[in-house]
Amino acid sequence: MCEIGEQIKRIRKEKGLTQSYVSKLLGYKSASMLSEIESGKKGLDATKIPLLAEILTVEINELFFVRNVLDKRTDVEIA
């Protein structure tokens, strides 16, 4: 298990998305809120989790678990 903020930041960067872009889609007025979530200073409102997963085009559980941990738990080999 990992910190959700770290996962959000990692996935967001992998997708080439800016904090400003993701923040706007989440309904935040500025990127500073997402920055604080990614750094662990603030928590993510649980009601925003499904929307965030959709924005990042990932399954919700990927926000909470590192991908290689998921692969081991499901015995699915990802190429």
Side-chain angles (χ1 to χ4, degrees), residues 5-62:
E6 294 171 0
Q7 279 294 90
I8 293 168
K9 183 176 183 177
R10 181 188 61 77
I11 295 166
R12 178 183 59 74
K13 286 185 166 193
E14 284 178 2
K15 305 283 183 173
L17 303 174
T18 64
Q19 285 181 333
S20 295
Y21 177 77
V22 175
S23 294
K24 182 179 179 181
L25 293 177
L26 285 172
Y28 297 132
K29 294 180 181 179
S30 72
S32 64
M33 182 64 175
L34 184 58
S35 176
E36 290 180 355
I37 291 168
E38 288 182 351
S39 68
K41 293 179 183 174
K42 291 199 174 181
L44 177 64
D45 184 332
T47 62
K48 298 223 184 249
I49 292 172
L51 177 58
L52 179 61
E54 184 179 326
I55 293 165
L56 297 176
T57 62
V58 296
E59 297 291 326
I60 290 174
N61 61 358
E62 196 171 334

